[in-house]
Amino acid sequence: MATREAPLVPLGQEPGDAALQQTPWRMRARLSSFLDGADAFLARAAFDRGPWLAVALAGGIAAWFALPASAWWIGTIAAGMLAALGAVALWRGQERRVHLLTAVASTGALLAAGTALIWARSAAVGAEPFARPVSAVVEGRVLERIEQPAEDRTRLVLAARDRAGEAVKIRVNVPLDADREDFREGAVIRFKARLMPPASPMLPGGYDFARAAWFAGYAATGSVQGPVELVAPPASEAWLAPLQRRLAAHVRSRLGGSAGAIAAAFASGDRGAITTADEDAMRDAGLTHLLSISGLHVSAVIAAAYFLAMTVLAAWPWLALRVRLPVVAAGVGALAGIGYTLLTGAEVPTVRSCVGAVLVLGALALGREPLSLRMVAVAAVFVLLLWPESLAGPSFQMSFAAVVAIVALHNAGPVRASLGAREERLAMRILRGALGLLLTGVVIELALMPIVLFHFHRAGVYGAFANVLAIPLVTFVSMPLIALALLLDLVGLGLPVWWLAGQSLDLLLWIAHLAASQPGAVTLMPQMGWGTFALFVLGGLWLALWRGKERLWGLAAAGAATLSMLLTPAPDVLVSGDGRQVGIVTRDGRLLSLRDTKSEFTRDNLMELAGVEAEPVPLATWRGAECSRDFCTLTIERAGRSWRLLMARSRNMIEERALAAACERADIVVADRYLPRSCRPRALLADARTLGETGGVALVLGESGVDVTTVAASQGEHGWWHPRK
């Protein structure tokens, strides 16, 4: 009879113990194999640490904005430092997995540094907002003057003191009829104003002015009421800001209308005279980037200065034989770029473009590759070290997304092979250049689309085609003509050139209005969650920063994000944080508003976040609504059931028993005042008590109930968020 042999077991160990020891050994082997595979992947994909270090720094900053409380921020810093220290410790003991350990150590350290950097920045510059609106006489010193003739106002930023005597920075709007030219930087003025704490988002996904004001140092904003008195003129004359204003005024005096407003923006960065209609057309045509001084404008100025310097200096044989002309020309171009950046206000896109262009000039002077993702990473780190809060704004995101897309596209092997320079007929070179410009425009539009939809909830569809015409027009016609006209104005001969510049800018506006007016020119996306947006960003970065076939995995992330975005339902009901504004989306895509408002800001917020283009319809005029002086009721069909809404219109006293009965018959009750505890609707009560804690809310009515998204959910313990008491 055959017998089964017992397995060999070490002396003093039972068979059961041996079985238990198998799992850890197998797990260790699998982990080791996974780590070796990750290291091999990094080596095979030619891991470039430079761009990913910038991404890690940005990731730490983004984590601080996204995470809700200080415990999470501390945990992120600790996790990053532990990962970095652990990788360094393992690195010393072995020569294997060098690529993986280097990546973990560097990204962990930069992740922790990014979180610590933005936390420190917030603590250093954040200004505690006013607790409540006040009407008071203010005396303060002007820190900044921002002229906005298109809005019939001038904005002044002042250093003043609050009622407790503490120094504060405030921003006020001064009507043009109360403004004077001597209300400039350094002047002391006195006026009566209505001041408000900076507003949090009106609705989930709306613009967060409170966050922007926190990092700008504004404790309050408001409007002047009555005349403004000049207490003391400026003690010393500033030169840069007045020069910028004088340049803008000179351009507008030489070239009137919309063309003059855009020319002033190109020359000085002053966009205050551009009308709302032109701004909207440029935005919907995908041409807004042309109005913001960024890479296109800075590159044009620097390139013109570089080639002009090369041409002039090469005509001097004595100098050309003794000096490296590319180095001297690069210095001239760098000075021109820095001067233009300062003159136009040194906004984030301009600084980024200037830093990048100076790096390109350095590479050209040294004979190195001028366009690389490492240079973009250096520019990004430079901006983030100075202004880490800019990461959360659309300006930084759009600026760097466009540049990364351009560099990644033109560094790709197939694109270089197809569009690279070669000996061929002029017609083919022009056609190849046009195809390259069109492809670049399409890629930029795809890169910017998620960012634009996330921040502005609408994006132009025909931007790539409009940019094919607009970018060469601005770069090679409009900006050179404006520069030439300014030079000729020194001797009084600029008028004919100004006429030509005006014609080119009128053509630019015609392109913008034509593209924006086409059917389906605008895509609306009222809701995109943080998770979907992060997936878009990670997919785009993976696609741009890796090499070889591995980069195509980014398409999977972008595809998943697109699917998530398309499946995200638009809200059925929107309620502002004060409870006064309620928007209800009908089945046919109309927007009903509880109160008819004259505020463009309120109306635009409701329309954008509801995903509709038609003007809101007052609820009281809607055929299905029943409105009295105090309340409106409306029944809507969603998810196979009827939802009854009860919305307060006044603050009149209501008999409690009648109110309780009305609440009992309603599914959702909304009020801008406190309602008694006896008001118990079937699904949701959104009165002043609730909305004070949550801020504005967006409601999606589904089969299982009401899906509620709140402003408070995205704010956490950050200093700019203060729930109403």
Side-chain angles (χ1 to χ4, degrees):
M1 180 177 178
T3 59
R4 179 180 298 173
E5 293 183 2
L8 296 176
V9 179
L11 186 64
Q13 182 174 315
E14 297 297 327
D17 296 334
L20 291 174
Q21 291 297 318
Q22 297 302 314
T23 301
W25 283 104
R26 290 176 181 172
M27 291 178 62
R28 182 175 179 181
R30 291 174 182 171
L31 178 61
S32 178
S33 176
F34 172 77
L35 295 178
D36 289 338
D39 187 77
F41 167 75
L42 293 176
R44 184 175 63 255
F47 177 63
D48 190 351
R49 288 189 297 274
W52 284 109
L53 291 181
V55 172
L57 181 68
I61 297 171
W64 184 84
F65 280 108
L67 296 175
S70 56
W72 290 89
W73 308 335
I74 294 171
T76 302
I77 296 172
M81 292 306 300
L82 285 174
L85 294 174
V88 170
L90 291 174
W91 196 355
R92 290 182 176 181
Q94 61 175 336
E95 297 182 359
R96 296 171 57 200
R97 304 168 186 156
V98 174
H99 294 89
L100 179 62
L101 294 177
T102 302
V104 172
S106 55
T107 55
L110 267 295
L111 181 73
T115 304
L117 175 66
I118 183 60
W119 196 356
R121 172 75 171 172
S122 174
V125 305
E128 190 68 23
F130 282 17
R132 60 184 60 84
V134 298
S135 183
V137 175
V138 178
E139 181 175 316
R141 186 176 299 277
V142 178
L143 301 177
E144 185 179 2
R145 175 185 173 90
I146 307 166
E147 296 181 351
Q148 297 180 320
E151 304 289 338
D152 293 323
R153 69 189 181 194
T154 297
R155 276 183 168 167
L156 300 178
V157 179
L158 302 105
R161 294 191 179 275
D162 60 16
R163 292 180 176 178
E166 298 290 332
V168 293
K169 186 159 77 168
I170 62 174
R171 192 189 74 184
V172 295
N173 296 330
V174 181
L176 289 183
D177 56 5
D179 184 34
R180 289 164 45 181
E181 289 188 4
D182 48 6
F183 296 163
R184 58 185 183 272
E185 290 82 356
V188 179
I189 59 177
R190 183 187 296 120
F191 53 88
K192 184 178 181 181
R194 170 76 170 172
L195 299 176
M196 306 280 290
S200 296
M202 174 183 166
L203 296 163
Y207 175 58
D208 195 346
F209 178 65
R211 183 181 66 197
W214 173 268
F215 286 105
Y218 300 153
T221 62
S223 299
V224 167
Q225 298 175 322
V228 182
E229 175 187 356
L230 179 66
V231 177
S236 60
E237 286 291 334
W239 65 274
L240 187 57
L243 176 62
Q244 181 186 21
R245 290 195 293 270
R246 286 199 298 271
L247 178 59
H250 172 77
V251 172
R252 290 196 293 266
S253 69
R254 305 295 284 175
L255 194 60
S258 297
I262 294 179
F266 288 168
S268 67
D270 183 354
R271 298 171 55 175
I274 300 176
T275 64
T276 302
D278 290 336
E279 286 261 19
D280 291 345
M282 295 288 284
R283 177 197 63 194
D284 292 342
L287 301 178
T288 299
H289 65 96
L290 296 178
L291 301 180
S292 175
I293 303 300
S294 56
L296 176 68
H297 312 79
V298 175
S299 299
V301 169
I302 291 179
Y306 180 88
F307 288 111
L308 182 62
M310 284 287 290
T311 303
V312 172
L313 295 176
W316 187 3
W318 181 89
L319 184 66
L321 293 173
R322 291 167 175 79
V323 177
R324 289 190 61 194
L325 295 186
V327 176
V328 178
V332 172
L335 290 175
I338 293 171
Y340 185 60
T341 299
L342 294 174
L343 181 64
T344 54
E347 298 292 338
V348 170
T350 321
V351 173
R352 187 271 308 159
S353 304
C354 184
V355 172
V358 170
L359 291 173
V360 169
L361 288 173
L364 288 173
L366 298 174
R368 303 285 295 274
E369 175 66 32
L371 293 177
S372 70
L373 290 172
R374 284 194 173 191
M375 290 190 176
V376 179
V378 171
V381 170
F382 180 84
V383 172
L384 290 176
L385 289 176
L386 293 179
W387 305 286
E389 69 276 9
S390 66
L391 178 74
S395 177
F396 178 95
Q397 295 170 12
M398 295 173 66
S399 176
F400 278 96
V403 175
V404 168
I406 292 171
V407 175
L409 174 68
H410 289 277
N411 283 342
V415 175
R416 282 189 169 187
S418 302
L419 301 179
R422 65 195 68 186
E423 290 294 332
E424 58 186 352
R425 290 179 298 175
L426 178 61
M428 287 301 298
R429 286 204 302 270
I430 294 175
L431 178 60
R432 197 178 301 276
L435 290 175
L437 191 59
L438 178 60
L439 178 61
T440 302
V442 171
V443 170
I444 291 175
E445 286 300 311
L446 291 175
L448 297 185
M449 186 75 73
I451 301 172
V452 174
L453 290 176
F454 179 75
H455 288 284
F456 306 113
H457 313 288
R458 57 187 292 145
V461 175
Y462 304 126
F465 303 99
N467 276 286
V468 169
L469 300 174
I471 290 177
L473 176 65
V474 170
T475 306
F476 301 114
V477 180
S478 299
M479 289 195 65
L481 286 174
I482 293 170
L484 180 60
L486 288 171
L487 288 175
L488 292 177
D489 275 349
L490 297 176
V491 293
L493 299 176
L495 190 58
V497 183
W498 279 120
W499 182 85
L500 292 174
Q503 297 302 306
S504 71
L505 294 174
D506 286 337
L507 178 58
L508 173 66
L509 286 170
W510 179 81
I511 293 171
H513 284 277
L514 177 66
S517 63
Q518 298 306 305
V522 177
T523 297
L524 301 177
M525 181 53 59
Q527 294 291 331
M528 183 192 296
W530 277 97
T532 302
F533 181 62
L535 200 57
F536 268 121
V537 172
L538 292 175
L541 289 172
W542 190 278
L543 191 62
L545 300 186
W546 289 114
R547 299 176 185 174
K549 295 181 179 179
E550 287 80 4
R551 73 192 314 172
L552 298 179
W553 294 355
L555 294 176
T562 302
L563 184 62
S564 173
M565 179 179 68
L566 295 176
L567 294 178
T568 300
D572 297 303
V573 181
L574 296 166
V575 182
S576 64
D578 59 6
R580 292 186 54 79
Q581 302 299 331
V582 181
I584 304 164
V585 183
T586 66
R587 284 187 176 276
D588 59 354
R590 304 288 295 276
L591 177 65
L592 311 180
S593 62
L594 177 63
R595 289 179 170 86
D596 189 14
T597 176
K598 296 181 180 179
S599 169
E600 290 186 6
F601 175 80
T602 300
R603 186 170 61 253
D604 290 347
N605 264 264
L606 286 172
M607 293 171 61
E608 287 177 2
L609 294 164
V612 300
E613 293 187 88
E615 289 290 321
V617 178
L619 183 60
T621 65
W622 188 250
R623 58 184 178 273
E626 299 178 5
C627 293
S628 66
R629 186 179 58 178
D630 300 315
F631 283 91
C632 272
T633 61
L634 177 69
T635 300
I636 59 177
E637 300 291 331
R638 293 291 188 278
R641 58 165 288 188
S642 297
W643 298 83
R644 184 175 177 82
L645 282 65
L646 176 65
M647 295 155 283
R649 301 182 69 194
S650 74
R651 290 179 174 244
N652 296 332
M653 296 293 293
I654 305 295
E655 198 272 324
E656 183 175 358
R657 184 173 298 178
L659 178 60
C663 291
E664 188 177 355
R665 294 191 298 270
D667 295 286
I668 299 170
V669 175
V670 179
D672 60 343
R673 55 177 168 170
Y674 292 93
L675 296 181
R677 303 285 184 183
S678 57
C679 179
R680 297 178 180 177
R682 289 188 286 264
L684 177 69
L685 172 63
D687 67 344
R689 182 183 295 104
T690 304
L691 294 172
E693 298 174 357
T694 65
V697 297
L699 310 179
V700 177
L701 309 180
E703 295 180 2
S704 58
V706 183
D707 183 13
V708 182
T709 303
T710 69
V711 169
S714 63
Q715 300 296 318
E717 294 182 1
H718 297 96
W720 57 84
W721 169 247
H722 292 274
R724 291 186 294 110
K725 303 299 182 184

